[in-house]
Amino acid sequence: MPVATGTKRKRGEGQWALGYREPLNKNEENKRNDDGLNVRQRIIDIYSKYGFDSIDPADLRGRFRWYGLYTQRRPGIDGGKTAVLEPEELDDRYFMLRVRIDGGQLSNDQLRVIAYISRRYARGTADVTDRQNVQMHWIEIENVPDIWEALESVGLSTTEACGDTPRVILGCPLAGIDADEILDGTPEIAAIGEQYIGDAAFSNLPRKFKSSISGCSAQCTFHEINDVAFAAVRHPGTGETGYDLWVGGGLSTNPMIAKRLGTFVRPGQVPEVWAAVTSLFRDYGYRRLRHRARIKFLVADWGPEKFREVLEKEYLGYALPDGPAPDAPRGGIRDHVGVHPQRDGNNYVGFAPTVGRLSADALDVIADLAARYGSGRVRTTTEQKMVILDVPPERTEDLVAELDQAGLPARPSAFRRHTMACTGIEFCKLAIVETKARAADLISELERRLPGFDAPVTINVNGCPNSCARIQTADIGLKGSLVTGPDGRQVEGFQVHLGGSLNGGDGTTSGFGRKLRGLKTTAEDLPDYVERVLRRFSEARTPGESFAAWTARAAEEELS
């Protein structure tokens, strides 16, 4: 049997390109037995008609993800049992449903349909995620076909919103609009969606596959931590605009910064280069151990030079020209909150739902405001925020006032602007602690205790080690865990990461911060801890010094 070249591992990794086609774990066996895309018809014809108990377990905990469906956590199961109970003991009879929103682009009709679905089928729930999707909860399998029909009537879907597939493609929410953008990535995102999403050629990847395509000068899609990313650049020699290609980024329990391949990709080439990278991952990606199946492990073993060589010779059939790295992010803040000019003379207004949590009523309010003050178009961001487009300058302050009245501030506090949280134990079967409510309470406490604080310190709250809320790249990253309370009992708490940073450009100065041994806090003591560290930072920082820079030089006792 052949040995995988370019790696030091002697055992076969299940790489198709090297002849390892026999499934090496249960997930691979299930995917071989039936393509995840085929479960749609069973949901329509069988499961929606005969109910939850009729669902094949391999579909329930596997193939349903190909259409954005996960079972929720059964209420009342504490975090100490997350890793102990069997899946069927954790499963509720309701689902989380993820709506795929490529590029974060929503029309008014689409937003209103999401609000309708939330109200009718999801008990009014809706969360904007840090990958520009909207997630709803309490979905019953009997209603899924009707939900799909409603979504598809306005051009939305849940196809490959989860699963071992090409998931939502991140894009700048201001694509084609922002006065400072380098390039509009909308045509490339749309072309990939039309050609490849839902295509059986890419419906059995070794693991999930996250993409971003952005021409934003603020680099709001965080190209450094995606599986494949196209970050806009301007060629210094010709002035031509195109994309710098990055591969192999990702967080979770083995965080890695993506590697630049050093290529210059012209806009018209993006779909075929994206398909080539995805095909390479499908064929050479590791399929033996699921925790090593992300493309970042292949890139780490091969290195960017070999990856580029295989990509060009075996998949593209031509060499890509060399190109420059992106510049550092404009302004150093990689979001779109606040009032900013569009290239057409109008403004866009970015506002901050608290840690992405909304409701059906709030979605309707946003749709109404977008129609009344703008063109109706709305965008979601990678920071769990939203943007209303096309607002005339003379009407902008009226919109800001109405957003503020609705609890959706366009000029939020630093804490509300820069805090994110994952779903947490309320609905997620992997979570150990509560996150959304905890983060909202933390924001309120910090606003009360530190009213004048304005440094852009990011606080990311995660319910487990998987880093859905990007804890390693936050100034203050909080990883949910059980910790010992004052009375010696195990209680909800957080392990603390400090000083994570994505500085953009070539990625060489990006890092995952400091994880000090034993630096933990109970959930109850979290506001006290964060306040204490932020006060020390405010007192000790030099002019213009960032929180990440301060934590790198601070003594351990200053960070505890």
Side-chain angles (χ1 to χ4, degrees), residues 267-281:
Q269 293 177 294
V270 168
E272 67 178 340
V273 173
W274 179 91
V277 173
T278 311
S279 298
L280 190 160
F281 175 48

Side-chain angles (χ1 to χ4, degrees), residues 304-385:
E305 295 81 10
K306 176 174 179 177
F307 193 99
R308 178 174 175 177
E309 179 184 3
V310 173
L311 177 70
E312 292 175 338
K313 289 184 177 179
E314 296 187 23
Y315 291 90
L316 286 174
Y318 60 86
L320 293 164
D322 293 339
D327 294 330
R330 175 199 69 205
I333 297 178
R334 300 171 73 168
D335 70 16
H336 295 290
V337 174
V339 176
H340 302 278
Q342 297 181 183
R343 62 177 53 178
D344 63 1
N346 288 319
N347 291 325
Y348 68 83
V349 179
F351 56 95
T354 302
V355 293
R357 176 134 289 180
L358 290 163
S359 65
D361 290 344
L363 292 173
D364 274 333
V365 167
I366 294 165
D368 288 344
L369 292 175
R372 186 147 41 95
Y373 288 97
S375 63
R377 297 191 296 171
V378 175
R379 300 291 184 259
T380 57
T381 84
T382 61
E383 297 285 285
Q384 300 180 337
K385 308 299 187 290

Side-chain angles (χ1 to χ4, degrees), residues 53-73:
D53 292 331
S54 69
I55 303 172
D56 185 318
D59 285 345
L60 181 66
R61 301 181 191 95
R63 302 182 190 100
F64 269 32
R65 300 177 186 184
W66 271 242
Y67 287 94
L69 287 161
Y70 284 93
T71 48
Q72 302 183 171
R73 186 187 192 93

Side-chain angles (χ1 to χ4, degrees), residues 457-502:
V457 175
T458 55
I459 303 173
N460 293 9
V461 185
N462 216 78
C464 78
N466 289 318
S467 200
C468 294
R470 307 199 299 256
I471 51 173
Q472 296 100 330
T473 62
D475 288 306
I476 301 175
L478 301 166
K479 181 176 74 175
S481 63
L482 295 180
V483 304
T484 303
D487 60 358
R489 298 171 61 185
Q490 294 284 288
V491 297
E492 287 194 4
F494 298 93
Q495 184 175 26
V496 181
H497 296 246
L498 294 172
S501 176
L502 294 176

Side-chain angles (χ1 to χ4, degrees), residues 115-182:
Y116 161 78
I117 293 169
S118 169
R119 180 174 290 107
R120 179 164 182 180
Y121 301 111
R123 301 188 187 180
T125 59
D127 289 334
V128 178
T129 76
D130 61 5
R131 293 198 67 81
Q132 299 182 288
N133 300 302
V134 172
Q135 294 180 174
M136 292 175 278
H137 299 279
W138 302 108
I139 301 295
E140 295 177 285
I141 192 62
E142 290 86 350
N143 295 322
V144 170
D146 289 341
I147 292 171
W148 282 341
E149 183 177 356
L151 289 171
E152 290 161 12
S153 73
V154 289
L156 292 173
S157 89
T158 67
T159 303
E160 296 183 334
C162 310
D164 295 350
T165 66
R167 299 189 181 187
V168 65
I169 302 171
L170 300 186
C172 175
L174 286 313
I177 294 164
D178 188 359
D180 294 327
E181 81 174 351
I182 300 168

Side-chain angles (χ1 to χ4, degrees), residues 8-119:
K8 298 180 181 179
R9 302 178 67 85
K10 295 180 181 180
R11 296 183 63 182
E13 291 282 7
Q15 295 163 283
W16 286 0
L18 301 179
Y20 296 97
R21 301 291 299 215
E22 188 64 26
L24 296 174
N25 60 54
K26 188 67 173 178
N27 294 94
E28 289 299 312
E29 184 180 330
N30 287 340
K31 289 188 289 181
R32 182 191 65 175
N33 290 344
D34 190 33
D35 192 308
L37 293 174
N38 294 335
V39 79
R40 176 185 171 101
Q41 206 58 45
R42 289 195 290 277
I43 291 173
I44 294 171
D45 294 339
I46 302 172
Y47 304 144
S48 66
K49 290 181 169 60
Y50 296 98
F52 187 90
D53 292 331
S54 69
I55 303 172
D56 185 318
D59 285 345
L60 181 66
R61 301 181 191 95
R63 302 182 190 100
F64 269 32
R65 300 177 186 184
W66 271 242
Y67 287 94
L69 287 161
Y70 284 93
T71 48
Q72 302 183 171
R73 186 187 192 93
R74 185 177 297 172
I77 300 175
D78 65 57
K81 297 178 180 176
T82 295
V84 177
L85 297 179
E86 295 298 321
E88 59 269 19
E89 296 177 286
L90 287 166
D91 287 333
D92 201 357
R93 299 171 70 87
Y94 299 93
F95 294 88
M96 178 273 284
L97 179 70
R98 181 177 296 161
V99 180
R100 182 186 185 115
I101 306 174
D102 290 295
Q105 300 193 10
L106 285 171
S107 70
N108 205 258
D109 286 344
Q110 288 173 332
L111 184 59
R112 291 184 189 280
V113 164
I114 293 173
Y116 161 78
I117 293 169
S118 169
R119 180 174 290 107

Side-chain angles (χ1 to χ4, degrees), residues 3-11 13 286 292 300-302:
V3 176
T5 58
T7 75
K8 298 180 181 179
R9 302 178 67 85
K10 295 180 181 180
R11 296 183 63 182
E13 291 282 7
Y286 302 153
R292 275 182 52 84
D301 285 348
W302 277 12

